[in-house]
Amino acid sequence: MRWIIWILISILILAAGVLLLRVTGASLIREITQDVSFGAESIPSASLEKAAPPFSLLDLALNTVSLSKLIGAPFILTFWTTWNPAATNQITILDEYESKHADKLFAIITLNSQQDKSVVSQFIKRGGYKIRVLMDENGSITDRYGARNLPVTYFIDADGIIRDIAIGVINEKELTEKSAHIISTSPSILK
Amino acid sequence: MSTFFLLNNIHFTLELLGALAFMAVAWLAFDAFRIRRDFTTISRGIGFAFLSLWQVIHAFNLGEEFYGYGGYTFYLIGLLFIIINLLEEAPVEKPTFKAILILPAFSLALFYLNIAAAASFLLIFILSLVQYFKENKKALIPFWAGFLFLFLGAVFSIFSGPELLDARWIAGHFFEFAGFFSLGWWVWSYLQARIQESMVLIFVTMALLISAAVTLVFSTILIARVEATTETNLLTNVKVMEFAITRLKEEALAKVRFLASKKEIQDALAKNNFPALESLLTKFLENEKLGFLMAVDKEGYVLIRAHALTQKDDNVAGEYAAGEALEGRTAVTIEPSAGEKFSIRAAAPVTFSDKKKRVITGGALIAGFPLDNAFADMIKKITGLEMSIFEKDTLTATTVLNPDGRTRNTGIKITDTNIIEQVLKKGEPITIRTVVAARTFLASYLPIKDLNGQFAGMLSAAKPEKEIVALVDATNRLTFVTVALLMLILSAPIYFITKRLSSEL
């Protein structure tokens, strides 16, 4: 009888371990790469759960895009540069995500930091990328957001609150998981 | 068919045989439980049933994330139950162990899980050997021999991985086969005494055995065809890329010739009117949809880069295309450059009349397309093909992301001497199985020639071998399940007739 109890306890512990891994998407085991995505708890929390700093910038077509116009629907804001290979990989990932998920419930906005418009424009055209690019040529918005180790992605809900921050390149799977958070905190979108 | 795919198929069949052997032992135990209803009897059945489930997961190569962790859970629980069963069956002298069996956390991955499995097999072998010496039952010989072979197979598994398929892998699978065969022999020795009662087990096992053999044969034939088709497609893909690049070279040359002949550019260069030159080049860069466009003076110093206005004053006279243009000749080639890196570069001289009405080469226009990741991404959007570009033996651009889904392997060098010899030295295409950054690919390579007829680099189209293996495994799963169902259905009438005849006898 004693044996049965011990066996049952062992099976329960093992099953709980497997279930935990399944629920967390095996995120208890992290792959160490050169581009690391931190969880929200390890980011300096100055911007988390607070309103996104305002901005008003031109895109490559010289249209003015301001934060106030973006609020009302969830979106992600990725800071990047063309000279950073990791950041250009992020652009590729975001562009492919945009083309594969036309019906997604959040917008993808990228913000180029401190580069000449001609350089950025050429890069976007050569790659045939369709994502939206805002130009922060003097770097003031980059400073305001505290985006230092590019690429950095801010997940902002429909109320303009920053719900998550990812430093480094995020892959498609992580993008889907993290964006679910900003969609779930934007109930007007789900109606 | 390549050795890799043949061994993969043998692995599939062998693991299924193991699943059948374990299933047969579990069946016997459950059968015995109908009469002797105690934990000792059922524990053996549960243990071998879990091992059978593990073998099926392992056979179908369902090794990713949840299935991998789930499979190893079944593996270790199964071994645990068998150990408990053997301890329960020999209650007089339970062996005492100073060390306890520790199941490592899954985060320590396969290496430690395989060590635990090997230790469990060794323990089962020792316990069953002790039982054999106590009870002096000859029927137990194939049982402990089977677990001895499985222990040896598990030891080899610790040091070999699914992608290695080397001597250790072969040795490990050889011992596994010996272990499954021995266990199967042990089951058969029981069945011989009780053929009538065990007829269902015999028919089911035979049906599944035949299904495994049929699956092996058909998938071997199929895989040979898939591999040959993949190789042909890869070579075609890389030739399509070469065609695209050749067209771009022609386009760059035609456009730079056209722009260099424009009077407004000649005038701006002749008068050193840099604002006008900047405005013109920026406009033409946009209108002509070029990757880059720049003007250099007669010494080769960069006056304007329309694609990067702040980068100028460096000297490009040492580059082949620029050098030709400064000597009055148009040229197009693929070569590296400090500014635009590895790129398609077309150059044309800009001529104008000097004060003495002599036509001189006052400078040059250089236009083209950088062969970088953005370029590769664009080609992929147009053609749908995964491609890579090499400057000599160094990867400079690729559309292939690493398994992490975030990074590309740009900057790494090809170390396969077959590729370097055939493509970069002899200038001939090659399709080959190769390892890049610890991943195995089936890849086609084509040389890129520069204007001197030298081989400046390579184009490559590749498919990760894992994708082909995934196709093979999916085919095996479908074939086995279909054939097994058919065999079981078709063998049902034969079973009933045999049972009827044997009961009448």
Side-chain angles (χ1 to χ4, degrees):
Chain A
M1 187 60 192
R2 200 176 50 211
W3 279 106
I4 293 173
I5 293 167
W6 278 113
I7 288 161
L8 283 171
I9 291 170
S10 307
I11 291 170
L12 279 168
I13 291 170
L14 279 163
V18 171
L19 196 63
L20 190 65
L21 283 167
R22 182 78 180 102
V23 165
T24 59
S27 62
L28 293 175
I29 298 107
R30 285 233 177 256
E31 189 182 345
I32 308 296
T33 66
Q34 62 184 10
D35 300 300
V36 179
S37 184
F38 292 108
E41 67 280 357
S42 60
I43 303 295
S45 58
S47 300
L48 268 179
E49 305 302 327
K50 290 195 177 147
F55 59 80
S56 183
L57 297 168
L58 293 175
D59 67 9
L60 291 177
L62 300 177
N63 300 314
T64 303
V65 178
S66 56
L67 178 69
S68 55
K69 282 188 188 162
L70 295 171
I71 286 174
F75 64 98
I76 68 167
L77 188 64
T78 299
F79 289 75
W80 68 287
T81 56
T82 63
W83 50 260
N84 182 327
T88 56
N89 287 344
Q90 184 70 83
I91 294 300
T92 302
I93 293 165
L94 291 175
D95 184 68
E96 278 187 17
Y97 193 92
E98 178 109 314
S99 57
K100 272 193 226 171
H101 300 91
D103 56 348
K104 64 189 184 313
L105 294 175
F106 65 96
I108 295 176
I109 311 287
T110 69
L111 198 148
N112 181 273
S113 179
Q114 296 181 271
Q115 281 195 285
D116 196 70
K117 180 175 169 288
S118 62
V119 172
V120 179
S121 180
Q122 271 308 301
F123 175 82
I124 293 295
K125 277 187 188 142
R126 285 193 300 103
Y129 304 121
K130 301 287 180 222
I131 46 163
R132 198 158 193 194
V133 181
L134 307 182
M135 296 301 302
D136 179 26
E137 290 190 59
N138 61 14
S140 58
I141 306 302
T142 308
D143 279 341
R144 200 179 288 176
Y145 273 76
R148 290 197 169 67
N149 296 315
L150 303 184
V152 182
T153 303
Y154 293 83
F155 292 80
I156 302 168
D157 69 11
D159 296 325
I161 307 295
I162 298 173
R163 295 296 179 187
D164 201 352
I165 304 171
I167 298 178
V169 182
I170 49 173
N171 58 30
E172 198 174 310
K173 187 173 171 236
E174 287 161 337
L175 185 58
T176 305
E177 285 168 2
K178 287 180 180 293
S179 59
H181 187 41
I182 53 170
I183 292 168
S184 64
T185 55
S186 307
S188 58
I189 298 301
L190 298 172
K191 282 183 190 163
Chain B
M1 187 173 74
S2 74
T3 315
F4 176 84
F5 291 117
L6 181 65
L7 290 178
N8 188 65
N9 269 3
I10 289 172
H11 161 82
F12 169 76
T13 311
L14 187 63
E15 301 307 326
L16 273 184
L17 286 176
L20 286 176
F22 287 139
M23 185 201 76
V25 177
W27 192 311
L28 281 181
F30 287 131
D31 219 22
F33 181 70
R34 290 189 302 154
I35 300 155
R36 189 180 149 194
R37 288 185 173 266
D38 59 14
F39 176 74
T40 306
T41 311
I42 191 76
S43 59
R44 179 174 292 194
I46 293 170
F48 278 102
F50 274 121
L51 284 183
S52 183
L53 279 171
W54 151 250
Q55 286 297 131
V56 170
I57 291 172
H58 194 42
F60 288 146
N61 276 338
L62 296 173
E64 302 299 323
E65 294 187 10
F66 178 69
Y67 290 110
Y69 291 118
Y72 270 91
T73 305
F74 291 142
Y75 196 12
L76 294 172
I77 289 178
L79 291 170
L80 186 66
F81 267 95
I82 296 168
I83 291 167
I84 291 167
N85 166 258
L86 288 168
L87 288 171
E88 286 285 301
E89 282 198 350
V92 177
E93 259 183 54
K94 277 200 183 80
T96 55
F97 297 92
K98 289 203 177 140
I100 55 171
L101 186 69
I102 299 171
L103 293 177
F106 287 114
S107 60
L108 298 177
L110 292 177
F111 182 69
Y112 297 100
L113 288 168
N114 282 328
I115 290 176
S120 302
F121 279 127
L122 180 63
L123 188 57
I124 294 168
F125 158 64
I126 292 168
L127 290 173
S128 52
L129 190 64
V130 165
Q131 193 178 354
Y132 164 70
F133 282 129
K134 272 200 194 18
E135 297 174 20
N136 206 19
K137 244 199 252 177
K138 279 192 184 162
L140 277 176
I141 294 174
F143 187 85
W144 62 252
F147 276 97
L148 173 62
F149 288 130
L150 288 173
F151 160 67
L152 291 169
V155 166
F156 280 101
S157 292
I158 294 168
F159 301 106
S160 69
E163 294 201 353
L164 288 177
L165 296 177
D166 55 4
R168 288 170 292 184
W169 186 93
I170 293 170
H173 277 70
F174 172 76
F175 281 117
E176 268 192 15
F177 174 71
F180 296 144
F181 184 83
S182 195
L183 280 175
W185 187 267
W186 179 74
V187 171
W188 181 246
S189 64
Y190 274 92
L191 291 179
Q192 280 183 311
R194 314 165 52 213
I195 276 220
Q196 193 174 1
E197 291 84 358
S198 308
M199 210 163 295
V200 173
L201 172 59
I202 293 168
F203 266 87
V204 168
T205 312
M206 292 310 296
L208 293 175
L209 199 63
I210 293 167
S211 306
V214 167
T215 303
L216 174 66
V217 168
F218 277 108
S219 75
T220 303
I221 296 167
L222 175 71
I223 291 324
R225 295 294 303 273
V226 166
E227 200 182 353
T229 306
T230 305
E231 285 178 6
T232 306
N233 286 346
L234 285 172
L235 190 58
T236 305
N237 290 350
V238 82
K239 284 180 177 172
V240 167
M241 285 179 228
E242 188 196 29
F243 177 73
I245 286 182
T246 304
R247 290 299 302 271
L248 285 171
K249 282 170 70 177
E250 290 166 2
E251 180 184 332
L253 184 62
K255 285 179 177 173
V256 81
R257 266 195 190 129
F258 166 68
L259 292 173
S261 68
K262 279 189 155 308
K263 189 137 188 358
E264 49 208 307
I265 288 182
Q266 291 168 356
D267 287 345
L269 197 58
K271 292 170 187 167
N272 289 331
N273 187 347
F274 299 126
L277 199 56
E278 180 182 315
S279 170
L280 286 167
L281 291 190
T282 306
K283 183 181 80 174
F284 288 131
L285 177 69
E286 180 86 26
N287 293 349
E288 299 297 328
K289 294 182 175 40
L290 290 162
F292 64 85
L293 176 62
M294 57 202 217
V296 302
D297 66 13
K298 60 185 179 185
E299 309 295 331
Y301 285 98
V302 175
L303 299 171
I304 304 284
R305 273 194 172 90
H307 54 287
L309 294 169
T310 53
Q311 294 173 22
K312 54 187 175 185
D313 299 330
D314 53 307
N315 193 292
V316 298
E319 293 171 14
Y320 189 81
E324 287 288 295
L326 291 172
E327 288 180 15
R329 295 181 292 272
T330 54
V332 63
T333 189
I334 294 176
E335 62 180 335
S337 161
E340 291 74 40
K341 306 284 184 277
F342 197 53
S343 47
I344 294 170
R345 304 179 76 75
V350 177
T351 57
F352 46 79
S353 303
D354 64 4
K355 287 174 185 168
K356 293 180 184 174
K357 307 286 182 192
R358 289 177 303 188
V359 174
I360 58 165
T361 299
L365 283 187
I366 305 170
F369 304 93
L371 299 177
D372 57 2
N373 285 334
F375 173 82
D377 286 344
M378 173 61 111
I379 297 291
K380 182 180 173 183
K381 280 177 192 289
I382 297 169
T383 62
L385 303 175
E386 299 283 358
M387 67 174 293
S388 299
I389 303 171
F390 293 81
E391 180 188 342
K392 293 288 184 190
D393 59 354
T394 305
L395 183 67
T396 54
T398 182
T399 56
V400 179
L401 289 174
N402 289 329
D404 62 7
R406 301 190 204 108
T407 52
R408 305 189 222 216
N409 274 327
T410 48
I412 64 161
K413 279 183 183 292
I414 290 284
T415 53
D416 192 327
T417 49
N418 294 318
I419 296 168
I420 293 169
E421 196 59 42
Q422 179 115 348
V423 183
L424 289 177
K425 292 200 175 139
K426 290 184 189 168
E428 290 164 8
I430 190 172
T431 303
I432 193 170
R433 183 170 171 262
T434 188
V435 177
V436 178
R439 289 170 74 199
T440 308
F441 292 88
L442 201 53
S444 281
Y445 294 85
L446 207 62
I448 299 173
K449 269 193 203 168
D450 65 14
L451 208 53
N452 289 328
Q454 301 294 317
F455 301 111
M458 301 184 285
L459 291 174
S460 168
K463 205 168 184 67
E465 198 168 55
K466 224 175 176 180
E467 282 184 21
I468 305 173
V469 170
L471 173 66
V472 171
D473 290 338
T475 308
N476 284 345
R477 280 195 289 272
L478 190 60
T479 309
F480 178 77
V481 168
T482 308
V483 173
L485 278 172
L486 282 171
M487 288 293 307
L488 287 169
I489 292 166
L490 293 173
S491 63
I494 303 169
Y495 161 71
F496 286 117
I497 293 169
T498 312
K499 195 173 167 88
R500 178 75 187 270
L501 286 173
S502 62
S503 62
E504 281 178 10
L505 289 170

